[in-house]
Every structure is written in structure tokens, then in C-alpha cells.
């Protein structure tokens, strides 16, 4: 019997503690777990399609239970993944968590963010260019400085001492901007495009300081070591989701709009911001990880740089893709 949990935007850090760990079941086929728990976030329609079309259930077989756990941002996602309360997760690579030795492995990339995140400012605000950032309050989901902010400040000839960083979760970031709690908010979709669509904010032009990031598929390392076949089948299901999206753009937009309570026209704009392709982690992505880790190391946000050759598995995805 299929077990499904529909997307709900708004679950925060506490959600990770609510996810119950499940043990093995003797009824599960040899080499597969009794269940597979997937962490989801609102921007990733591939997971909504996988859920709706039952691609993962089909790939794993009828005896394996599947569940989808919606999380708000990478903080609860990384916590749940490393702690083992979910098995597979998605989102921006949690470099600090990986550098701290948490049990997270990367097995593939499935999206490239071409225009789904950036810096938002008020239409009538005082920030109209990078030169205006000095002395301003910048909101972002993380409390620590980010490599994107570093690149922006470098381009503007500023340092972190020239701005104030305020942590605001994604669901309240735009509200913080419109209420003037912050002057700038570093947002990602769907919040980024929605704020512009609703005319609550405009995009600050970052020029060549903008980072277009890859989105990986991440797996709890214990789960990967124990059940590589399950992860391979998961990737097969994810590839089917991407193919389905390409073939059904209108239905995909409607699904995204319904699950996220958004306008269909807006949903199409959001979905158009990302390039979807299940792939082996490539050199461009690995170079981004190294650049990010070097930045965090210099900022003393991490004590050592990860060994990416041990973290990134480039062998599993080819097996799934060839199948």
C-alpha cells in the first residue's frame, strides 16, 4: 500500500525532529530497505511529479514503503539527512555540514539554477546598485556570510564589515524586506520570482557576481553504503520525473501551482528558471564546491576543507542512467 505525504510549505528546523526513523523489515526484498524516506523542498517540482506519478514506488517495487517529508530550507534538510531521519535529500550543497563530517554523500545533480535566486530590494528603496550596499542590512536564510554575498561585496569594493547580516528564513524573508527590517534579501525560488511577480520587490543586478548553482541529490552515507541499489533506483525514478516534466509542461505548472498555492502563470515563470538534467557530478560543480569550501575555510566557518573525492560518488549515477 502506498504511503504519501503531500508538499506543505512552512515546516522549519523542528520538522527534522518529527521524522521517525524506520528499521528494516523482513518482508523487504534482499538488498533493499523496508522504506525510503525522501526530504523535499518547495522549489523542486521533480519530487512532486515523482510522488504524483508513483515513479519511486514503481522503481522500488510494491513491498517498499515510500514517504515524502517537506522541509523549508537546507538547515533542517541537512540535519535530517545527516541524522538519518530521511534517507535522500535535495537542495543547495551543505558545505559546512559536510566539512564537519556529517553523514552526507552526493550521488548526482539534477538541476542547475540559472535565474531562480538573487538579491531582492524594495522598488522604492535606497539600494539600486551594488555601490549602495554599504551600511545596509542584508537578510538571508543563513546567519553566516555566504560565498554569493562575498562575490557581490568584492565586486562592489566592500567587505563583510560594511554590511549587517540578519538571518531570516525563506518564508519570512520578503516580509522582512517590505517591512524595512532589511534593505536587501537574498532569496531563492519560489520566493524570489514570486516577490518580483507580486511587485513587492525588484531584482538587484549582480552582473558577473551572480552564481548559478547546481542542485545535488544527497544521501545519508550509512543508507548509501547499505542500500546502493535503492539509491540507484531512486535516480531512475528521478530521471523519469524529469522526462515527464519535459513532456507535460502545462500539467507540471498546474501541479506546482496547486502544491505551492501559486498562480499558474507565476509557476511557469519559476519553472523556467531552472535547467533540469540528471547527471553525474561534473567538474564545474566540483569546482564550485571547492571554491565554496575555500571561502568558508578562510572565513573560519569550517575547520577543514572536505575531501570531495570521498563525499561525491561519481559511479552510481552512470549505472542508473545506463539502465
Amino acid at each position: 500500500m502506498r504511503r504519501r505525504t503531500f508538499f506543505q510549505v512552512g515546516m522549519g528546523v523542528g520538522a527534522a525532529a518529527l521524522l521517525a526513523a524506520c528499521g528494516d523489515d523482513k518482508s523487504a526484498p534482499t538488498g533493499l530497505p523496508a522504506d525510503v524516506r525522501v526530504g523535499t523542498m518547495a522549489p523542486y517540482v521533480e519530487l512532486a511529479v515523482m510522488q504524483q506519478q508513483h515513479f519511486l514506488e514503481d522503481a522500488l517495487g510494491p513491498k517498499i514503503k515510500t514517504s515524502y517529508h517537506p522541509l523549508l530550507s537546507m538547515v533542517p534538510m541537512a540535519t535530517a539527512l545527516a541524522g538519518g531521519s530521511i534517507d535522500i535529500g535535495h537542495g543547495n550543497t551543505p558545505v559546512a555540514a559536510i566539512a564537519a563530517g556529517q553523514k552526507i554523500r552526493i550521488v548526482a545533480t539534477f538541476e542547475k539554477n540559472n535565474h531562480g535566486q538573487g538579491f531582492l530590494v524594495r522598488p522604492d528603496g535606497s539600494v539600486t546598485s551594488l555601490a549602495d550596499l554599504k551600511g545596509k542590512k542584508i537578510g538571508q536564510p543563513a546567519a553566516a556570510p555566504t560565498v554569493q554575498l562575498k562575490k557581490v561585496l568584492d565586486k562592489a569594493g566592500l567587505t563583510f564589515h560594511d554590511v549587517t547580516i540578519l538571518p531570516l528564513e525563506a518564508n519570512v524573508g520578503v516580509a522582512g524586506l517590505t517591512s524595512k527590517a532589511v534593505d536587501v534579501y537574498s532569496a531563492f525560488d519560489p520566493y524570489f520570482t514570486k516577490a518580483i511577480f507580486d511587485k513587492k520587490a525588484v531584482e538587484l543586478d549582480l552582473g558577473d557576481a551572480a552564481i548559478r548553482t547546481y542542485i545535488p541529490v544527497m544521501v545519508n552515507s550509512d543508507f548509501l553504503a547499505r542500500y546502493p541499489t535503492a539509491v540507484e533506483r531512486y535516480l531512475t525514478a528521478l530521471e523519469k520525473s524529469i522526462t515527464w516534466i519535459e513532456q507535460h509542461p502545462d500539467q507540471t505548472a498546474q501541479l506546482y501551482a496547486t502544491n505551492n498555492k501559486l498562480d499558474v502563470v507565476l509557476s511557469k515563470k519559476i519553472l523556467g528558471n531552472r535547467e533540469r538534467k540528471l547527471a553525474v557530478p561534473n567538474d564545474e560543480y566540483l569546482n564550485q564546491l571547492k571554491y565554496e569550501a575555500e571561502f568558508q575555510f578562510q572565513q573560519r566557518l569550517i575547520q577543514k576543507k572536505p575531501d570531495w573525492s570521498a563525499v561525491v560518488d561519481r559511479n552510481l549515477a552512470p549505472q542508473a542512467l545506463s539502465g
Side-chain angles (χ1 to χ4, degrees):
M1 180 177 181
R2 293 186 175 105
R3 175 163 44 129
R4 298 178 293 166
T5 303
F6 286 97
F7 280 77
Q8 296 176 351
V9 177
M11 295 182 70
V13 177
L18 300 177
L19 305 182
C22 300
D24 292 330
D25 189 305
K26 293 181 180 180
S27 65
T30 303
L32 292 175
D35 60 0
V36 175
R37 298 155 297 172
V38 180
T40 65
M41 288 200 296
Y44 309 121
V45 72
E46 297 89 344
L47 285 306
V49 168
M50 182 188 295
Q51 205 174 342
Q52 184 195 65
Q53 299 298 316
H54 313 304
F55 289 140
L56 183 54
E57 290 96 329
D58 293 341
L60 291 171
K63 292 185 178 180
I64 310 302
K65 297 178 181 178
T66 61
S67 57
Y68 295 82
H69 303 271
L71 300 166
L72 181 62
S73 69
M74 277 312 303
V75 174
M77 180 70 74
T79 299
L81 190 61
S85 54
I86 61 174
D87 306 308
I88 301 172
H90 315 78
N92 291 328
T93 309
V95 174
I98 291 171
Q102 295 188 16
K103 296 182 177 182
I104 299 173
R105 297 292 181 267
I106 296 164
V107 297
T109 59
F110 70 102
E111 279 194 4
K112 185 177 181 182
N113 185 343
N114 293 317
H115 193 67
Q117 68 182 48
F119 282 21
L120 296 171
V121 296
R122 290 186 294 276
D124 59 349
S126 60
V127 180
T128 59
S129 70
L130 299 188
D132 299 324
L133 291 175
K134 187 172 183 178
K136 298 300 190 293
K137 296 178 181 178
I138 300 177
Q140 58 181 33
T146 65
V147 68
Q148 176 65 92
L149 181 56
K150 174 66 163 58
K151 290 195 72 173
V152 167
L153 294 177
D154 282 349
K155 186 174 178 64
L158 302 173
T159 71
F160 291 124
H161 297 294
D162 293 314
V163 299
T164 300
I165 300 173
L166 295 177
L168 292 175
E169 278 283 17
N171 62 327
V172 297
V174 174
L177 180 66
T178 57
S179 68
K180 300 185 179 181
V182 295
D183 303 294
V184 181
Y185 187 68
S186 178
F188 55 84
D189 269 341
Y191 311 98
F192 177 78
T193 301
K194 186 177 189 305
I196 297 171
F197 185 83
D198 292 341
K199 298 183 179 180
K200 292 182 177 180
V202 295
E203 181 180 3
L204 182 64
D205 184 9
L206 305 186
D208 58 8
I211 297 176
R212 307 308 183 196
T213 57
Y214 287 86
I215 306 300
V217 178
M218 297 170 287
V219 185
N220 174 274
S221 60
D222 290 342
F223 185 86
L224 177 61
R226 193 170 186 181
Y227 303 115
T229 300
V231 179
E232 183 180 335
R233 293 188 186 185
Y234 178 85
L235 295 179
T236 300
L238 184 56
E239 186 175 32
K240 287 184 178 179
S241 296
I242 293 172
T243 300
W244 192 95
I245 289 169
E246 293 172 351
Q247 296 172 347
H248 304 86
D250 291 338
Q251 289 173 257
T252 300
Q254 184 61 62
L255 175 62
Y256 188 91
T258 300
N259 286 345
N260 293 276
K261 298 180 180 179
L262 297 174
D263 180 89
V264 175
V265 175
L266 171 60
S267 294
K268 288 183 177 180
K269 289 181 178 294
I270 292 171
L271 293 173
N273 287 336
R274 294 181 178 238
E275 175 186 330
R276 295 173 184 83
K277 181 180 180 181
L278 184 65
V280 179
N282 62 24
D283 289 341
E284 183 180 25
Y285 171 59
L286 290 174
N287 288 336
Q288 285 184 5
L289 295 181
K290 293 174 183 177
Y291 184 87
E292 170 83 10
E294 180 64 34
F295 160 74
Q296 292 199 26
F297 182 73
Q298 291 177 359
Q299 295 295 313
R300 298 182 180 179
L301 300 173
I302 58 177
Q303 296 182 350
K304 64 177 182 179
K305 290 176 280 188
D307 177 4
W308 293 111
S309 64
V311 173
V312 180
D313 186 325
R314 303 177 84 173
N315 298 317
L316 196 65
Q319 298 175 35
L321 293 170
S322 65

